[in-house]
Amino acid sequence: MMSQEQNDLITRTGATTPCGRLMRMYWQPAALVDELLGERPVRPVRLLGENLVLFRDEQGRYGLIDRHCAHRGADLAFGRLEHGGLRCAFHGWLFDTSGQCLETPAEPSGSQLCANIRQRAYPVVERSGILWAYLGEGQPPAFPEIDCFIAPDSHTFAFKGHMACNWLQALEVGIDPAHASYLHRFFEDEDTSAAYGRQFRAASASSELPMTKILRDYDRPIINVEQTEYGLRLIALREIDAERTHVRVTNQLFPHGFVIPMSTEMTITQWHVPVDDQNCYWYAIFTSYSTQVDKNKMREQRLELYELPDYISRKNKANDYGFDAGEQRTSTYTGMGHDINVHDQWAVESMGAIQDRTKEHLGQSDKAIVQYRRLLRQEIEKVGGGEKPMLFLDEANARSIQGPATMDGIGPTRGWETYWMEVDVKRRRGAPWAAPVPRDIAGKVHHLTAAE
């Protein structure tokens, strides 16, 4: 358990809070590129507790500026896109993507008022189907050269979903290997050939066993946690028998991301981004190491589950997440359908808007949660002391973070350490976009193989 003060430290992300200052030292997902398609590319955005408006001008440049006009505070989300910027519908003041006021048309001819008016603005870049914003001060960090950022557009797909809770409890479900055997338990296995685009439904690598059966039958994983230069590596081992062990390797990508295997061909890199202290969005990039991603199918699958324009799950607290008692008895552990995102959403939203960690009791299976919170406090303290936090990279060091390696497969009970690394290296080297092999993994594989 922790004190209320400690809980506030790691959950609150307002501009003046210690964790908020940490978060502002990283690029944050602000919107999907898809959200600014169409005839009027303007979107209100709430990010880290700040009210902003995102737009694309006639030249294709992105701008992210304060939502309320510097003149008298009218809402720029209802502004007009014209003449190189976003024009307030109240008095016609015009702002470009840098926040500079270009025109104050109600003022006398020759007035220079606009030259001294600047709307607060933040830089925006496009990466892998997501528009990223930097809300911090000074030069933004470089993007690490991880797989989801270096893969071509044809091999990635991005989506998002809203959760009505604090970002931290939403993140922590993704770095909890034990919960999948219960929260995502299915009592019957499906044809794995129809699993494209669906988590935990495919067969495990090097095996005909479906993931649903593995998670259901082997519910006491051995969990190993390693600190890395990008965050944490989590290894969950489910021993099937003396010869075979299921190995699942996932990663926590500091500060609020994680990377998990979706299938033998695809990974998911996901971030839980604070809207404010009581809401967050998960943003996910699906990365394929083999064929091009079927974007239409992936999008259609998810649009059946989420309401636009705010990407709110059709199953939510208002309708008890679709809970069905009959289904809970016979089909799924939760009785909330087959979308695991709904299961996760119920779990984290049921904790309250901000989980009260003063009342929790952690066990051995929560070791990744414990280590992540320790790491988060450590990096908050570093920023408070004027240091750069973990994964704040410059261009010269962007290549130092690659991968990170993931794995979901059945290997030998003795020698699984070498097995999972070799499978990951083979997959990455076989990618048509020639993704590099992370140096820490390549080095270990070479060393272990030589030792044999």
Side-chain angles (χ1 to χ4, degrees):
M1 290 186 283
M2 62 173 60
S3 69
Q4 186 60 53
E5 182 181 21
Q6 291 171 325
N7 196 35
D8 288 342
L9 175 69
I10 60 177
T11 57
R12 305 285 184 173
T13 58
T16 62
T17 66
C19 191
R21 288 192 288 271
L22 171 73
M23 288 295 184
R24 282 164 176 77
M25 299 192 74
Y26 299 91
W27 288 99
Q28 299 287 339
L32 298 174
V33 172
D34 287 354
E35 295 181 78
L36 265 72
L37 299 178
E39 296 181 358
R40 187 176 180 274
V42 181
R43 269 290 299 155
V45 168
R46 185 163 167 81
L47 181 60
L48 297 176
E50 299 188 29
N51 292 314
L52 310 165
V53 60
L54 178 65
F55 66 97
R56 189 182 71 244
D57 69 12
E58 299 100 319
Q59 298 182 47
R61 298 173 300 192
Y62 291 107
L64 182 67
I65 62 177
D66 273 348
R67 182 169 177 174
H68 296 284
C69 179
H71 181 203
R72 286 169 57 188
D75 190 349
L76 288 172
F78 293 89
R80 297 173 61 88
L81 282 170
E82 56 189 29
H83 300 114
L86 184 64
R87 191 183 295 279
C88 181
F90 194 9
H91 293 93
W93 284 28
L94 179 67
F95 300 91
D96 68 12
T97 57
S98 73
Q100 178 61 52
C101 184
L102 303 178
E103 297 179 6
T104 53
E107 294 301 304
S109 178
S111 169
Q112 295 299 307
L113 176 62
C114 63
N116 300 314
I117 303 296
R118 180 177 289 273
Q119 196 84 346
R120 186 173 54 169
Y122 300 112
V124 178
V125 298
E126 180 180 339
R127 288 285 190 285
S128 303
I130 294 175
L131 296 174
W132 301 76
Y134 181 68
L135 274 60
E137 299 178 358
Q139 185 70 19
F143 280 82
E145 293 193 8
I146 58 177
D147 292 346
C148 68
F149 292 145
I150 66 173
D153 177 73
S154 59
H155 285 68
T156 63
F157 169 75
F159 203 74
K160 74 177 190 179
H162 178 265
M163 288 183 167
C165 68
N166 184 259
W167 71 275
L168 182 57
Q169 64 217 57
L171 168 70
E172 288 181 341
V173 76
I175 57 172
D176 170 12
H179 84 277
S181 284
Y182 295 91
L183 188 65
H184 306 317
R185 180 177 296 193
F186 300 96
F187 298 146
E188 295 181 358
D189 304 317
E190 298 179 358
D191 180 0
T192 57
S193 65
Y196 185 85
R198 303 165 68 198
Q199 292 172 252
F200 290 142
R201 310 314 291 264
S204 190
S206 307
S207 170
E208 297 300 318
L209 289 176
M211 273 297 297
T212 47
K213 179 175 177 57
I214 293 170
L215 294 176
R216 183 176 64 242
D217 291 355
Y218 306 96
D219 58 1
R220 294 179 183 268
I222 297 171
I223 300 170
N224 296 326
V225 183
E226 305 171 0
Q227 186 156 340
T228 68
E229 57 190 353
Y230 55 77
L232 302 173
R233 178 180 295 132
L234 286 62
I235 303 175
L237 305 173
R238 289 174 165 87
E239 185 174 324
I240 296 172
D241 52 41
E243 303 298 325
R244 299 175 300 161
T245 289
H246 178 261
V247 185
R248 183 172 172 85
V249 180
T250 62
N251 300 275
Q252 194 286 310
L253 189 66
F254 199 81
H256 53 19
F258 55 79
V259 188
I260 61 175
M262 178 176 176
S263 66
T264 57
E265 300 179 347
M266 195 176 292
T267 59
I268 303 172
T269 308
Q270 186 161 308
W271 295 264
H272 284 280
V273 184
V275 172
D276 49 37
D277 289 340
Q278 298 187 351
N279 295 272
C280 66
Y281 274 109
W282 58 261
Y283 282 82
I285 300 174
F286 300 79
T287 305
S288 173
Y289 293 85
S290 55
T291 58
Q292 297 185 7
V293 174
D294 188 339
K295 294 178 186 281
N296 289 334
K297 184 171 185 177
M298 296 280 280
R299 186 175 291 108
E300 289 170 2
Q301 286 176 336
R302 284 151 184 82
L303 290 180
E304 291 178 357
L305 305 171
Y306 288 85
E307 292 272 8
L308 272 55
D310 295 321
Y311 292 80
I312 294 175
S313 174
R314 297 178 191 274
K315 292 183 177 181
N316 53 59
K317 186 176 182 179
N319 55 28
D320 291 335
Y321 305 91
F323 176 76
D324 182 282
E327 177 193 308
Q328 190 181 49
R329 287 193 302 272
T330 62
S331 181
T332 69
Y333 202 75
T334 62
M336 298 175 189
H338 289 74
D339 178 19
I340 71 167
N341 287 312
V342 173
H343 306 167
D344 289 342
Q345 184 173 345
W346 162 77
V348 299
E349 290 184 352
S350 70
M351 300 173 183
I354 303 177
Q355 181 192 352
D356 183 357
R357 292 175 177 79
T358 68
K359 298 179 179 178
E360 69 181 359
H361 298 80
L362 302 182
Q364 287 292 320
S365 63
D366 300 304
K367 61 177 65 175
I369 307 297
V370 173
Q371 290 200 37
Y372 171 74
R373 293 178 187 175
R374 184 181 300 128
L375 179 61
L376 180 58
R377 290 193 299 268
Q378 169 190 298
E379 298 306 302
I380 289 172
E381 185 175 343
K382 281 170 61 176
V383 170
E387 299 180 55
K388 301 295 186 188
M390 170 181 287
L391 218 56
F392 187 96
L393 304 172
D394 57 24
E395 292 293 342
N397 293 303
R399 295 204 64 195
S400 66
I401 307 297
Q402 300 174 1
T406 66
M407 171 63 194
D408 193 328
I410 295 177
T413 296
R414 297 188 63 182
W416 61 265
E417 301 93 337
T418 307
Y419 163 77
W420 82 261
M421 295 179 194
E422 290 176 340
V423 170
D424 181 78
V425 168
K426 182 179 180 181
R427 176 179 63 178
R428 186 167 284 106
R429 285 179 174 160
W433 37 273
V437 177
R439 279 178 285 175
D440 63 332
I441 298 301
K444 286 182 181 179
V445 171
H446 176 76
H447 174 73
L448 290 168
T449 303
E452 291 178 341

